[in-house]
Every structure is written in C-alpha cells, then in structure tokens.
Amino acid sequence: MACRAVLLTVVSFMLAVLSLPAHAQTLPVPEATADTVAVEPDPFGRETPRSTVTALLQALADGDYARAANYFVEGGSSADGDAREASASAGDEASAAALARKFQTALDRGGSLAPFLALSNSADGQLDDGLPLDREQVGMFGDGEEQTAIVLERISAENEPARWLVSSETTQAVDDFIPDEQASAADQTDEVAIAGAPWTDWLLLIGIAVIAFAIFRGAAALLLLLLRKVMSDPQASAVYRFFQAALPPLSLYLVVATFYLLAADLPVSIIARQTFLRYAGIVAWIALAWFALRLVDAIARILTGRMRRAERRQAEAVVTFLRRGAKVALLAIAFIAVLDTIGIDITTGIAALGIGGLALALGAQKTVENLVGSVTLIADRPMQVGDVAKIGDVFGTVEDIGMRSTLVRTNNRTLVSIPNGNLASDRIENFALRDRFLFNQTLGVTYDTDADQMERLLAELRAILEADENIIDDDARVRFNGFGDSALHIEFFAYFRTRSYPESLAMQEALLLAIMRKLDERGIGIAFPTRTVHLQTQQGKSAIA
C-alpha cells in the first residue's frame, strides 16, 4: 500500500506539471544558429577510462578485432596533432585488427589491467595520479622485471566528444613486444573458448578460488576449535563470540584478497581474469557487509546483556534501535557498491532522490511519522521494553520498540502492534514506573457494632498498619467514614513499599488476613447487603418477615 501511495503521488505530480498552462513562465532558451552543432555521445562508449577498458575487453571477448581497433591511437604522439584513431574506416583494417590481437596476446602472457572498481568512471580521469591530465594508467605488460605501462590518452576534437584511447606509446610498445607470428599463432588455437577465453583458463581460476576458500574456511574452523578447547566457557567469552561472528565473513574476504594476488599475474586469458576479478569485487563487498552486520550484532548483544544486567531497559531499547539503523545503512551501502560493480550508473539514481524526496514527503508521511515517533519514544522514555503499560485501550507488557511500531503482549498473550506515530497522541499509562502500590479498601461491619466497639476496632486496625513493615507510614490511615445502606464503612488508605506488582499482591493478602483475624477476635461481623420487609395485615397488625 505504501508503494502504491508513493507511485500515485509521483504520477499525480508529473501530471500536474505537464498540465501547466502554456503561458507559464519558462527559462529563456538560446536560439539555434548555423554555427551550433550538437555533440552526440561516442558510439563506442569511450567517455571514461572505465568504459573504454570495459568496452575494449568486450570486443576482444567477442573476437571482433575490427571493433577493438577503435580503442587505439596509431602513428605518433597526439600532442603534435598527428595522432589518428585506428579504425576500420581509417588506415589498413588488417593492420588495426592485428594490433588488437597483439594487445590481447600481451595481456594473456601475464599482463594485467586494473580491476573494474579501480578504474576511474569520470570523464576527466583520475586527477591525483601524478600523470598529465590527459593520461591515465590502467595496467602493465611485459616479461619479468621489464614492465611497460598501459596508458590511456584523452583525445579531444572539435564538435566531437572527448574519448579515452590506448595511447600511441603503448600501441608502439605492444607492436614491438609481440611479433606478428606470435599473435597469429595465438589466434589459431583450437582450444574450446567460453565467453572469449579458453575453458581451461576458466577452470584454473575456479580451482584457485575453491582451494583458497577451503583453506581459509578450514583455518577459521580450526581456530574456533582451538578456542573452544582452551576456554572453559567459550559462549560466555566476548573474545570467542567476536571470533565466531567475524571469522566466516573475514575468511571469505581473505579468499577474495588471495584470489586478487594470485590471479592478477597468471598467464591466462585477460578476459577470464578481468571477469573473475570484477565479480570478485562483488563477493568482497558482500563479505565486508556480512562482516560488518555480524560485528554490529555481536557488539549489540554484548551491550544489551550489560544493559539488561544493570536493568537499564531504556538503554537496551536504544541499542536495539541503533543496531537496526546501522544494519539498514550497511545494507544500503553494500547494495549501491554492488550496483556500481555490476556497471549500473548510480549517479542517475542518486539524482532521482529529489523526486524520491517529494514522493516521501507526500506519499510516505506515515512511515516518516512512525520513524520520528520511535525516536521520540527513545528520547522522552515514556516507557521501556519490559514495562507494563496501558496505551489507549491496550494493556500489556512492552516487548519491543521498533523503528516502525511498538509490540505489546496483552494478558491474553496476544501481540498487539501499535504504530509509533500513534503513540505521540495516545494516552500512555506506565504501571512499571510506580514507586509504591496503593492499598485503598473499604470495610463494612454490621450495624450491631456500637460506638465503643468501633473505637476499639479502629485503634487496633491502626496498630496493625503501624506494625506492618511493608506499609509506608506517610498518610497511612484507618477512618470510620460513613453509614451505608447495610454496613458501617471503615476506609483503609496506605502504600506498600515495593515496585513489584506480584510483591504488592502478597503484601495486600497478608494485611487483609490480619484484618480478618482481628474482626474474628472482636466478634465483629462483616456486613453484607440485607433487607428488612414489614408486612401489614388486614387487622392492622404488622409483622416482620
């Protein structure tokens, strides 16, 4: 229902905007001139270093070397203005395709490219890498210690979008490093390829990941076993609980880190390596989020246990609220990071938060109201988890104060969920905050009791209250306060010295029994409603029935 309300609100807002009158005030638009030329986006996706490397690898994986040639610069330095783009329509197509094959061969022979997340996704590149503003290093290739940097160069032309291409220096180095016959031999292999890479390369990388996972997972299990052997009560140890929560996600993260170290320089297909390294980044984010979530839970359990032992129930509710808020924030960060790793542009989504804010303000008012209500409950502390309270018409024990609602367990053992926004306007009567319990009873004795008996009885009843250690002396009183229809009324007013409701019931029971014994001792009966009926006979005589 909330999603439907948000959707209807957004649609209504858009329709309202589209239905504005034609004479509404608008921003001035400059008139088009003959010299104005629209700049179209680059058809090959070379606007950023990340998009260039990703698209180049995709072309190599597809075996489309003619398309891959569009990501290289040939023929000298672009600073002199002599650079030209290597493409099927400019220069020798066969030579351009051969250059792309050589580039892939150089990478397959131990070359490396920066992982997906390490590549800049800005049109200006990374500005603090110490290179010229139009240069971006994205990898290395070579034999042994003689490594050559793979550098992208930003090419700008009039009326065309800026493009990031493999620089002419890198192109020349690749051409010198890989002879033509080696590139041809690599292209003529008969090995079965999967997604542009030999199946044996995929199998090797999968094997490395599985072995690394088995090693680290086994090491984590062995460490926990040793801790259980050393500690007398491991479950009561904060150190053991920390390792128990942290080791599973931490071992997964170490698997990813080990895979990065081992697979980055392996002489396997660059297509398989970069694909694994890219999606290993997703696993790394999942492992970090998992580690952070379990760490938050472990810390929250320790703090909650301390607050419960100290009977600080409101602090316990605060810890629970903060734990839930932290977990929501961590999941949101991990989700955004995974989307970025997959290649989904999150800047558009972030920009859409303006419309989302409008929808939130108009269509999700109750959600915001409940969230603010939960913060108010924690700040004002009208009740805590474990308190017995009456909220409106609901009476029961508060079991949980959540981000949206408060759960109350009634005496019938049903669970009532009350939105926190309603608690700001509802009447809350907290019985757990009582510092004493009231004893206010009215005793009715029979009319057979005369004044002298009443005075002696009142004195002895007052003595019972004074002798009771559970009674607070302030304002404790016993008074003969009226003539009822069938009884003489004696009022008891006192407070029990306890905060516990069950204890107050036991104290009240003991006091009532003492009062009954005193009445029996004095021979004074407790009155009950009676009625005397007078009957008039025909002879005028009356009889009492």
Side-chain angles (χ1 to χ4, degrees):
M1 294 296 293
C3 295
R4 183 181 299 176
V6 172
L7 182 59
L8 290 175
T9 302
V10 174
V11 172
S12 301
F13 175 77
M14 295 177 63
L15 291 176
V17 173
L18 293 176
S19 61
L20 290 175
H23 60 272
Q25 188 177 10
T26 58
L27 295 175
V29 179
E31 297 182 359
T33 62
D35 297 333
T36 303
V37 179
V39 178
E40 298 181 357
D42 183 65
F44 296 101
R46 300 167 294 186
E47 292 89 352
T48 68
R50 179 184 292 181
S51 63
T52 294
V53 173
T54 302
L56 173 58
L57 288 176
Q58 185 60 51
L60 296 178
D62 296 340
D64 191 349
Y65 296 105
R67 175 159 58 94
N70 290 280
Y71 299 90
F72 295 87
V73 171
E74 279 188 346
S77 173
S78 63
D80 299 331
D82 298 329
R84 61 184 179 88
E85 189 177 338
S87 65
S89 60
D92 187 1
E93 181 178 354
S95 176
L99 176 62
R101 289 191 182 92
K102 289 184 177 183
F103 184 75
Q104 182 177 6
T105 303
L107 293 175
D108 290 347
R109 286 175 51 179
S112 63
L113 290 173
F116 181 82
L117 291 178
L119 295 170
S120 174
N121 200 31
S122 170
D124 296 328
Q126 191 170 349
L127 303 178
D128 57 352
D129 56 0
L131 296 176
L133 297 180
D134 61 345
R135 293 290 195 275
E136 186 89 3
Q137 182 175 340
V138 295
M140 301 286 291
F141 73 93
D143 286 331
E145 297 181 356
E146 297 183 1
Q147 296 288 319
T148 302
I150 300 175
V151 179
L152 299 185
E153 181 179 357
R154 190 168 186 260
I155 305 297
S156 300
E158 187 177 357
N159 297 330
E160 291 185 6
R163 297 155 295 171
W164 287 93
L165 307 174
V166 180
S167 67
S168 56
E169 295 88 348
T170 303
T171 302
Q172 186 62 46
V174 169
D175 196 24
D176 296 339
F177 180 68
I178 302 296
D180 293 340
E181 57 273 12
Q182 290 188 14
S184 301
D187 190 46
Q188 295 174 359
T189 181
D190 296 331
E191 194 169 5
V192 178
I194 300 176
W199 70 273
T200 53
D201 292 350
W202 294 106
L203 185 61
L204 175 61
L205 294 173
I206 293 174
I208 292 175
V210 171
I211 292 173
F213 179 80
I215 291 175
F216 283 103
R217 193 69 186 91
L222 181 60
L223 180 57
L224 290 177
L225 179 62
L226 292 176
L227 289 176
R228 285 195 297 269
K229 295 292 184 182
V230 172
M231 298 179 177
S232 57
D233 188 7
Q235 294 299 332
S237 172
V239 175
Y240 178 80
R241 292 203 304 268
F242 171 79
F243 278 103
Q244 188 181 33
L247 282 179
L250 188 60
S251 60
L252 181 60
Y253 185 79
L254 291 177
V255 168
V256 176
T258 303
F259 185 82
Y260 265 89
L261 293 175
L262 296 179
D265 298 324
L266 283 177
V268 296
S269 170
I270 188 63
I271 306 299
R273 266 188 292 146
Q274 287 300 111
T275 301
F276 261 91
L277 292 177
R278 177 175 179 177
Y279 293 102
I282 297 178
V283 178
W285 275 110
I286 294 175
L288 285 176
W290 186 16
F291 173 77
L293 291 174
R294 300 195 71 169
L295 184 62
V296 167
D297 283 337
I299 295 175
R301 279 195 297 268
I302 293 174
L303 294 177
T304 301
R306 293 179 179 178
M307 298 302 105
R308 188 176 294 117
R309 287 191 295 270
E311 296 185 355
R312 299 175 59 186
R313 290 175 294 175
Q314 188 61 36
E316 182 181 348
V318 172
V319 171
T320 302
F321 180 80
L322 293 178
R323 175 179 63 86
R324 292 172 179 171
K327 292 176 75 171
V328 170
L330 287 172
L331 289 175
I333 293 173
F335 181 70
I336 292 174
V338 169
L339 290 182
D340 188 48
T341 304
I342 294 174
I344 298 176
D345 188 9
I346 61 174
T347 56
T348 304
I350 295 176
L353 289 179
I355 299 178
L358 176 64
L360 182 66
L362 298 178
Q365 295 180 4
K366 286 296 182 182
T367 302
V368 177
E369 181 181 352
N370 292 331
L371 181 60
V372 173
S374 63
V375 176
T376 303
L377 281 177
I378 293 175
D380 291 347
R381 297 187 297 179
M383 59 185 178
Q384 307 177 35
V385 174
D387 287 353
V388 177
K390 185 176 181 182
I391 305 171
D393 297 331
V394 180
F395 177 83
T397 303
V398 179
E399 287 203 349
D400 182 52
I401 300 176
M403 298 180 67
R404 192 199 71 85
S405 62
T406 295
L407 300 180
V408 179
R409 179 76 66 179
T410 66
N411 291 336
N412 292 329
R413 306 309 298 163
T414 60
L415 195 62
V416 180
S417 176
I418 304 175
N420 290 334
N422 296 347
L423 297 179
S425 56
D426 279 347
R427 179 175 176 266
I428 301 176
E429 186 176 0
N430 193 334
F431 294 91
L433 296 180
R434 289 185 292 191
D435 57 347
R436 59 184 70 177
F437 277 79
L438 175 65
F439 178 77
N440 187 15
Q441 299 278 349
T442 298
L443 173 65
V445 298
T446 63
Y447 270 96
D448 295 338
T449 306
D450 57 27
D452 293 337
Q453 289 178 314
M454 178 64 76
E455 286 182 349
R456 287 193 297 269
L457 178 61
L458 292 174
E460 292 176 353
L461 293 178
R462 292 185 184 111
I464 291 176
L465 292 185
E466 292 175 359
D468 194 335
E469 297 179 352
N470 298 319
I471 296 294
I472 299 176
D473 295 334
D474 300 343
D475 293 332
R477 61 182 181 268
V478 180
R479 294 293 180 186
F480 172 42
N481 71 342
F483 299 93
D485 292 337
S486 57
L488 302 174
H489 292 166
I490 301 174
E491 181 195 19
F492 294 84
F493 186 91
Y495 284 102
F496 290 120
R497 187 182 286 106
T498 181
R499 292 176 177 268
S500 171
Y501 180 67
E503 288 182 2
S504 71
L505 294 179
M507 295 175 184
Q508 177 177 273
E509 178 183 300
L511 182 57
L512 292 175
L513 289 174
I515 293 172
M516 287 184 65
R517 292 188 184 99
K518 181 58 64 177
L519 292 175
D520 292 340
E521 179 183 334
R522 288 296 174 187
I524 298 176
I526 299 176
F528 53 89
T530 59
R531 177 177 296 177
T532 302
V533 179
H534 293 266
L535 299 178
Q536 184 73 35
T537 63
Q538 292 181 356
Q539 290 78 14
K541 297 180 180 180
S542 63
I544 300 177

